[in-house]
Amino acid sequence: MGCKSCKPLNPTEIPDNLPLLESLVSDYLNRKFEWPEYPDKGAVTAQEWHDIYLSSLEDVTDFICGKINPTKAPGGMPYVFNIHQWNLRFPSRQNVVDKMAEKLGNIDDNDFGDFEELIDYVEKRKVPYFGETAVYDFALRYGWNHRPAIKPSKYVYIHSKPRKAAQHLADHGYLKNITKLERKMELEKYQELLLPGMEASDVEHFLCCYHDEILKLK
């Protein structure tokens, strides 16, 4: 799901009886809205939209690009990309999709014990311009559609906008268990975000979707 597809609360809509951060997490879990890209789904929550988006992707090409591609790698250019992979849209970089598809071509031959083994496998095969965000996104998309699913559970991985949002929360005392922010941290470090129903992948997605609103918190 592209983060801009989420519709966070406006500050004036935050309920008076809840702390600001808790209200944003509650909004992520509970408020329903429609997403034009999936007109048949009606109105569901931001958490549910993320699930629907991940389940819509079909194969390694889609997992790399973040969009359903009618032509597949290698040799399927031009590819279409999710907003997270904006840096691969340039014609001179689309060959990264072909390179990663070849490096990850045998991924189904592996028996990953957990998400950490999966993301480490992808990390070791990355090429230039396939950075932290792309590595995490591929691992999340592939793992979600694997049977059985391989999801983040013990650790939260952050990068780009989620990292900036988490750093802001840590700097302003909202995340009391974090003194030094790292890309990979135990789920319990984000205790203040763990309302019932929040999982490790939700924490990362929440920090991305609600980046702008989080940066307004003082």
Side-chain angles (χ1 to χ4, degrees):
M1 180 180 184
C3 293
K4 290 185 178 179
S5 298
C6 288
K7 299 179 179 179
L9 282 169
N10 293 321
T12 55
E13 298 173 342
I14 296 175
D16 293 333
N17 62 332
L18 286 178
L20 296 179
L21 182 58
E22 186 178 336
S23 294
L24 292 178
V25 179
S26 178
D27 184 63
Y28 172 82
L29 291 169
N30 297 298
R31 184 172 52 83
K32 297 183 177 182
F33 58 93
E34 295 182 355
W35 190 5
E37 193 165 337
Y38 297 92
D40 60 320
K41 299 297 184 180
V44 302
T45 67
Q47 182 188 49
E48 291 168 330
W49 276 129
H50 197 213
D51 295 354
I52 291 169
Y53 159 72
L54 291 171
S55 297
S56 74
L57 304 176
E58 299 174 349
D59 50 38
V60 166
T61 303
D62 296 354
F63 303 152
I64 293 171
C65 298
K67 284 273 192 178
I68 297 175
N69 275 262
T71 55
K72 304 302 180 181
M77 293 183 285
Y79 301 110
V80 293
F81 298 92
N82 178 271
I83 190 172
H84 283 196
Q85 278 66 58
W86 65 270
N87 65 313
L88 300 181
R89 293 176 179 175
F90 304 106
S92 62
R93 296 183 185 174
Q94 291 217 358
N95 65 345
V96 170
V97 180
D98 290 348
K99 292 177 180 178
M100 288 304 302
E102 290 178 350
K103 284 181 172 288
L104 297 168
N106 295 324
I107 193 170
D108 288 338
D109 295 339
N110 294 268
D111 184 17
F112 300 108
D114 55 25
F115 187 80
E116 281 60 57
E117 291 184 9
L118 169 57
I119 197 171
D120 286 347
Y121 179 90
V122 180
E123 181 81 30
K124 291 175 181 177
R125 287 157 179 79
K126 69 181 180 181
V127 300
Y129 300 111
F130 201 80
E132 286 183 351
T133 300
V135 167
Y136 174 80
D137 282 347
F138 178 90
L140 182 67
R141 295 161 184 165
Y142 175 87
W144 182 272
N145 288 284
H146 187 274
R147 293 296 174 267
I150 310 169
K151 302 179 184 179
S153 59
K154 297 178 288 188
Y155 298 95
V156 173
Y157 294 81
I158 56 171
H159 40 262
S160 189
K161 289 176 69 175
R163 177 183 285 142
K164 292 178 182 178
Q167 187 65 63
H168 183 86
L169 292 175
D171 289 345
H172 288 77
Y174 286 94
L175 299 177
K176 301 185 185 304
N177 294 319
I178 296 179
T179 54
K180 181 182 178 182
L181 190 67
E182 299 176 5
R183 180 196 181 199
K184 172 186 172 184
M185 300 192 78
E186 294 86 352
L187 178 60
E188 292 74 19
K189 295 287 187 182
Y190 291 90
Q191 189 62 47
E192 290 82 356
L193 304 183
L194 300 182
L195 296 187
M198 287 288 280
E199 299 180 354
S201 59
D202 288 314
V203 171
E204 183 275 337
H205 190 230
F206 166 79
L207 291 170
C208 185
C209 286
Y210 289 74
H211 167 272
D212 293 349
E213 294 302 320
I214 288 171
L215 294 189
K216 296 174 185 176
L217 299 178
K218 304 299 184 182

